[in-house]
mmCIF file of all heavy atoms in Angstrom:
data_model
loop_
_atom_site.group_PDB
_atom_site.id
_atom_site.type_symbol
_atom_site.label_atom_id
_atom_site.label_comp_id
_atom_site.label_asym_id
_atom_site.label_seq_id
_atom_site.Cartn_x
_atom_site.Cartn_y
_atom_site.Cartn_z
ATOM 1 N N ASN A 149 88.578 104.912 84.119
ATOM 2 C CA ASN A 149 87.503 103.943 83.938
ATOM 3 C C ASN A 149 86.748 103.785 85.247
ATOM 4 O O ASN A 149 87.309 103.992 86.331
ATOM 5 C CB ASN A 149 88.069 102.583 83.506
ATOM 6 C CG ASN A 149 88.549 102.611 82.085
ATOM 7 O OD1 ASN A 149 87.750 102.601 81.158
ATOM 8 N ND2 ASN A 149 89.857 102.672 81.888
ATOM 9 N N VAL A 150 85.477 103.384 85.137
ATOM 10 C CA VAL A 150 84.621 103.191 86.305
ATOM 11 C C VAL A 150 83.926 101.841 86.164
ATOM 12 O O VAL A 150 83.492 101.481 85.064
ATOM 13 C CB VAL A 150 83.567 104.321 86.412
ATOM 14 C CG1 VAL A 150 82.638 104.089 87.595
ATOM 15 C CG2 VAL A 150 84.251 105.685 86.524
ATOM 16 N N TYR A 151 83.831 101.113 87.277
ATOM 17 C CA TYR A 151 83.165 99.812 87.283
ATOM 18 C C TYR A 151 82.711 99.484 88.696
ATOM 19 O O TYR A 151 83.102 100.153 89.663
ATOM 20 C CB TYR A 151 84.084 98.723 86.716
ATOM 21 C CG TYR A 151 85.464 98.689 87.329
ATOM 22 C CD1 TYR A 151 85.730 97.923 88.460
ATOM 23 C CD2 TYR A 151 86.505 99.439 86.784
ATOM 24 C CE1 TYR A 151 86.995 97.900 89.026
ATOM 25 C CE2 TYR A 151 87.764 99.424 87.340
ATOM 26 C CZ TYR A 151 88.012 98.641 88.458
ATOM 27 O OH TYR A 151 89.263 98.628 89.026
ATOM 28 N N SER A 152 81.903 98.446 88.833
ATOM 29 C CA SER A 152 81.425 98.058 90.164
ATOM 30 C C SER A 152 82.534 97.296 90.899
ATOM 31 O O SER A 152 83.430 96.725 90.276
ATOM 32 C CB SER A 152 80.156 97.202 90.066
ATOM 33 O OG SER A 152 80.424 95.966 89.440
ATOM 34 N N GLY A 153 82.449 97.286 92.222
ATOM 35 C CA GLY A 153 83.485 96.686 93.058
ATOM 36 C C GLY A 153 83.467 95.174 93.129
ATOM 37 O O GLY A 153 84.335 94.575 93.756
ATOM 38 N N ARG A 154 82.478 94.529 92.537
ATOM 39 C CA ARG A 154 82.375 93.070 92.489
ATOM 40 C C ARG A 154 82.289 92.451 93.885
ATOM 41 O O ARG A 154 82.830 91.384 94.132
ATOM 42 C CB ARG A 154 83.519 92.468 91.687
ATOM 43 C CG ARG A 154 83.476 92.872 90.233
ATOM 44 C CD ARG A 154 84.586 92.208 89.419
ATOM 45 N NE ARG A 154 84.418 92.470 88.016
ATOM 46 C CZ ARG A 154 85.104 93.379 87.333
ATOM 47 N NH1 ARG A 154 86.011 94.106 87.947
ATOM 48 N NH2 ARG A 154 84.889 93.552 86.052
ATOM 49 N N ARG A 155 81.607 93.122 94.774
ATOM 50 C CA ARG A 155 81.375 92.563 96.111
ATOM 51 C C ARG A 155 80.182 91.618 96.110
ATOM 52 O O ARG A 155 80.175 90.630 96.824
ATOM 53 C CB ARG A 155 81.111 93.688 97.115
ATOM 54 C CG ARG A 155 82.306 94.561 97.375
ATOM 55 C CD ARG A 155 81.934 95.634 98.369
ATOM 56 N NE ARG A 155 83.081 96.471 98.679
ATOM 57 C CZ ARG A 155 83.039 97.455 99.542
ATOM 58 N NH1 ARG A 155 81.920 97.750 100.171
ATOM 59 N NH2 ARG A 155 84.113 98.174 99.784
ATOM 60 N N SER A 156 79.148 91.963 95.333
ATOM 61 C CA SER A 156 77.907 91.185 95.352
ATOM 62 C C SER A 156 77.776 90.253 94.150
ATOM 63 O O SER A 156 76.886 89.412 94.122
ATOM 64 C CB SER A 156 76.702 92.139 95.369
ATOM 65 O OG SER A 156 76.652 92.890 94.173
ATOM 66 N N ALA A 157 78.616 90.410 93.176
ATOM 67 C CA ALA A 157 78.564 89.583 91.972
ATOM 68 C C ALA A 157 79.985 89.461 91.421
ATOM 69 O O ALA A 157 80.786 90.390 91.570
ATOM 70 C CB ALA A 157 77.643 90.229 90.925
ATOM 71 N N PRO A 158 80.301 88.340 90.782
ATOM 72 C CA PRO A 158 81.669 88.162 90.276
ATOM 73 C C PRO A 158 81.995 89.040 89.070
ATOM 74 O O PRO A 158 83.156 89.260 88.763
ATOM 75 C CB PRO A 158 81.723 86.678 89.899
ATOM 76 C CG PRO A 158 80.302 86.296 89.634
ATOM 77 C CD PRO A 158 79.464 87.159 90.553
ATOM 78 N N ASP A 159 80.964 89.552 88.403
ATOM 79 C CA ASP A 159 81.175 90.361 87.209
ATOM 80 C C ASP A 159 80.798 91.816 87.460
ATOM 81 O O ASP A 159 79.984 92.130 88.327
ATOM 82 C CB ASP A 159 80.328 89.821 86.053
ATOM 83 C CG ASP A 159 80.727 88.412 85.660
ATOM 84 O OD1 ASP A 159 81.938 88.108 85.657
ATOM 85 O OD2 ASP A 159 79.825 87.598 85.375
ATOM 86 N N ASN A 160 81.365 92.695 86.656
ATOM 87 C CA ASN A 160 81.037 94.107 86.694
ATOM 88 C C ASN A 160 79.554 94.288 86.371
ATOM 89 O O ASN A 160 79.029 93.651 85.462
ATOM 90 C CB ASN A 160 81.903 94.853 85.676
ATOM 91 C CG ASN A 160 81.562 96.309 85.560
ATOM 92 O OD1 ASN A 160 81.165 96.964 86.517
ATOM 93 N ND2 ASN A 160 81.728 96.852 84.365
ATOM 94 N N LEU A 161 78.873 95.160 87.095
ATOM 95 C CA LEU A 161 77.448 95.418 86.882
ATOM 96 C C LEU A 161 77.194 96.654 86.024
ATOM 97 O O LEU A 161 76.069 96.872 85.588
ATOM 98 C CB LEU A 161 76.759 95.626 88.241
ATOM 99 C CG LEU A 161 76.877 94.500 89.256
ATOM 100 C CD1 LEU A 161 76.306 94.944 90.599
ATOM 101 C CD2 LEU A 161 76.208 93.245 88.743
ATOM 102 N N LEU A 162 78.221 97.474 85.810
ATOM 103 C CA LEU A 162 78.025 98.789 85.210
ATOM 104 C C LEU A 162 78.540 98.918 83.781
ATOM 105 O O LEU A 162 79.562 98.342 83.418
ATOM 106 C CB LEU A 162 78.701 99.852 86.070
ATOM 107 C CG LEU A 162 78.209 99.973 87.503
ATOM 108 C CD1 LEU A 162 79.078 100.949 88.284
ATOM 109 C CD2 LEU A 162 76.750 100.390 87.529
ATOM 110 N N ASP A 163 77.831 99.712 83.018
ATOM 111 C CA ASP A 163 78.240 100.125 81.678
ATOM 112 C C ASP A 163 78.512 101.623 81.784
ATOM 113 O O ASP A 163 77.583 102.420 81.923
ATOM 114 C CB ASP A 163 77.114 99.843 80.674
ATOM 115 C CG ASP A 163 77.448 100.314 79.275
ATOM 116 O OD1 ASP A 163 78.645 100.502 78.968
ATOM 117 O OD2 ASP A 163 76.503 100.511 78.483
ATOM 118 N N CYS A 164 79.796 101.977 81.759
ATOM 119 C CA CYS A 164 80.182 103.370 81.992
ATOM 120 C C CYS A 164 80.986 103.915 80.820
ATOM 121 O O CYS A 164 81.676 103.172 80.115
ATOM 122 C CB CYS A 164 81.053 103.471 83.242
ATOM 123 S SG CYS A 164 80.248 102.908 84.748
ATOM 124 N N GLY A 165 80.927 105.227 80.673
ATOM 125 C CA GLY A 165 81.797 105.892 79.728
ATOM 126 C C GLY A 165 83.213 105.849 80.269
ATOM 127 O O GLY A 165 83.476 105.282 81.332
ATOM 128 N N MET A 166 84.129 106.450 79.547
ATOM 129 C CA MET A 166 85.511 106.535 80.003
ATOM 130 C C MET A 166 86.070 107.887 79.592
ATOM 131 O O MET A 166 85.424 108.628 78.858
ATOM 132 C CB MET A 166 86.357 105.388 79.443
ATOM 133 C CG MET A 166 86.339 105.216 77.931
ATOM 134 S SD MET A 166 87.489 106.236 77.008
ATOM 135 C CE MET A 166 89.045 105.650 77.517
ATOM 136 N N PHE A 167 87.241 108.189 80.089
ATOM 137 C CA PHE A 167 87.907 109.454 79.772
ATOM 138 C C PHE A 167 89.351 109.137 79.427
ATOM 139 O O PHE A 167 89.996 108.341 80.125
ATOM 140 C CB PHE A 167 87.869 110.386 80.986
ATOM 141 C CG PHE A 167 88.715 111.625 80.839
ATOM 142 C CD1 PHE A 167 88.167 112.786 80.331
ATOM 143 C CD2 PHE A 167 90.046 111.623 81.223
ATOM 144 C CE1 PHE A 167 88.948 113.938 80.197
ATOM 145 C CE2 PHE A 167 90.829 112.760 81.090
ATOM 146 C CZ PHE A 167 90.270 113.921 80.577
ATOM 147 N N GLN A 168 89.852 109.766 78.388
ATOM 148 C CA GLN A 168 91.279 109.711 78.098
ATOM 149 C C GLN A 168 91.694 111.012 77.440
ATOM 150 O O GLN A 168 91.131 111.414 76.426
ATOM 151 C CB GLN A 168 91.636 108.547 77.184
ATOM 152 C CG GLN A 168 93.147 108.489 76.944
ATOM 153 C CD GLN A 168 93.553 107.289 76.147
ATOM 154 O OE1 GLN A 168 93.139 106.194 76.445
ATOM 155 N NE2 GLN A 168 94.364 107.514 75.124
ATOM 156 N N ASP A 169 92.651 111.676 78.059
ATOM 157 C CA ASP A 169 93.197 112.923 77.537
ATOM 158 C C ASP A 169 94.440 113.224 78.362
ATOM 159 O O ASP A 169 94.876 112.403 79.168
ATOM 160 C CB ASP A 169 92.164 114.051 77.655
ATOM 161 C CG ASP A 169 92.346 115.123 76.575
ATOM 162 O OD1 ASP A 169 93.514 115.441 76.237
ATOM 163 O OD2 ASP A 169 91.334 115.630 76.078
ATOM 164 N N THR A 170 94.991 114.415 78.204
ATOM 165 C CA THR A 170 96.162 114.765 79.014
ATOM 166 C C THR A 170 95.731 114.953 80.467
ATOM 167 O O THR A 170 94.573 115.273 80.758
ATOM 168 C CB THR A 170 96.843 116.050 78.513
ATOM 169 O OG1 THR A 170 95.940 117.130 78.674
ATOM 170 C CG2 THR A 170 97.319 115.912 77.075
ATOM 171 N N HIS A 171 96.673 114.761 81.348
ATOM 172 C CA HIS A 171 96.429 114.961 82.778
ATOM 173 C C HIS A 171 95.996 116.410 83.013
ATOM 174 O O HIS A 171 95.116 116.681 83.835
ATOM 175 C CB HIS A 171 97.699 114.604 83.544
ATOM 176 C CG HIS A 171 97.554 114.624 85.018
ATOM 177 N ND1 HIS A 171 98.628 114.666 85.856
ATOM 178 C CD2 HIS A 171 96.481 114.610 85.839
ATOM 179 C CE1 HIS A 171 98.222 114.685 87.112
ATOM 180 N NE2 HIS A 171 96.931 114.655 87.129
ATOM 181 N N ALA A 172 96.577 117.345 82.264
ATOM 182 C CA ALA A 172 96.224 118.762 82.412
ATOM 183 C C ALA A 172 94.750 119.003 82.120
ATOM 184 O O ALA A 172 94.104 119.819 82.785
ATOM 185 C CB ALA A 172 97.092 119.615 81.494
ATOM 186 N N VAL A 173 94.183 118.309 81.157
ATOM 187 C CA VAL A 173 92.756 118.451 80.852
ATOM 188 C C VAL A 173 91.914 117.905 82.004
ATOM 189 O O VAL A 173 90.919 118.514 82.396
ATOM 190 C CB VAL A 173 92.400 117.760 79.513
ATOM 191 C CG1 VAL A 173 90.897 117.662 79.318
ATOM 192 C CG2 VAL A 173 93.033 118.510 78.353
ATOM 193 N N ALA A 174 92.316 116.784 82.583
ATOM 194 C CA ALA A 174 91.575 116.202 83.714
ATOM 195 C C ALA A 174 91.564 117.144 84.913
ATOM 196 O O ALA A 174 90.589 117.203 85.658
ATOM 197 C CB ALA A 174 92.173 114.854 84.104
ATOM 198 N N VAL A 175 92.643 117.890 85.092
ATOM 199 C CA VAL A 175 92.779 118.795 86.237
ATOM 200 C C VAL A 175 91.924 120.052 86.072
ATOM 201 O O VAL A 175 91.437 120.605 87.054
ATOM 202 C CB VAL A 175 94.278 119.160 86.428
ATOM 203 C CG1 VAL A 175 94.465 120.287 87.416
ATOM 204 C CG2 VAL A 175 95.067 117.930 86.841
ATOM 205 N N ARG A 176 91.702 120.492 84.835
ATOM 206 C CA ARG A 176 91.008 121.760 84.562
ATOM 207 C C ARG A 176 89.602 121.845 85.130
ATOM 208 O O ARG A 176 89.180 122.886 85.609
ATOM 209 C CB ARG A 176 90.917 121.982 83.057
ATOM 210 C CG ARG A 176 91.883 122.983 82.579
ATOM 211 C CD ARG A 176 91.684 123.268 81.106
ATOM 212 N NE ARG A 176 92.919 122.880 80.457
ATOM 213 C CZ ARG A 176 93.015 122.347 79.272
ATOM 214 N NH1 ARG A 176 91.960 122.123 78.542
ATOM 215 N NH2 ARG A 176 94.195 122.035 78.795
ATOM 216 N N ALA A 177 88.847 120.770 85.005
ATOM 217 C CA ALA A 177 87.443 120.762 85.456
ATOM 218 C C ALA A 177 87.090 119.330 85.803
ATOM 219 O O ALA A 177 87.762 118.399 85.348
ATOM 220 C CB ALA A 177 86.530 121.275 84.343
ATOM 221 N N PRO A 178 86.056 119.133 86.611
ATOM 222 C CA PRO A 178 85.708 117.748 86.931
ATOM 223 C C PRO A 178 85.463 116.917 85.671
ATOM 224 O O PRO A 178 84.834 117.377 84.719
ATOM 225 C CB PRO A 178 84.421 117.879 87.741
ATOM 226 C CG PRO A 178 84.474 119.261 88.317
ATOM 227 C CD PRO A 178 85.173 120.089 87.269
#
Side-chain angles (χ1 to χ4, degrees):
N149 287 285
V150 178
Y151 50 89
S152 65
R154 295 183 172 101
R155 292 180 178 182
S156 65
D159 297 321
N160 175 33
L161 303 172
L162 300 173
D163 177 20
C164 300
M166 54 84 65
F167 171 92
Q168 182 175 312
D169 208 322
T170 64
H171 186 197
V173 169
V175 169
R176 256 185 242 145

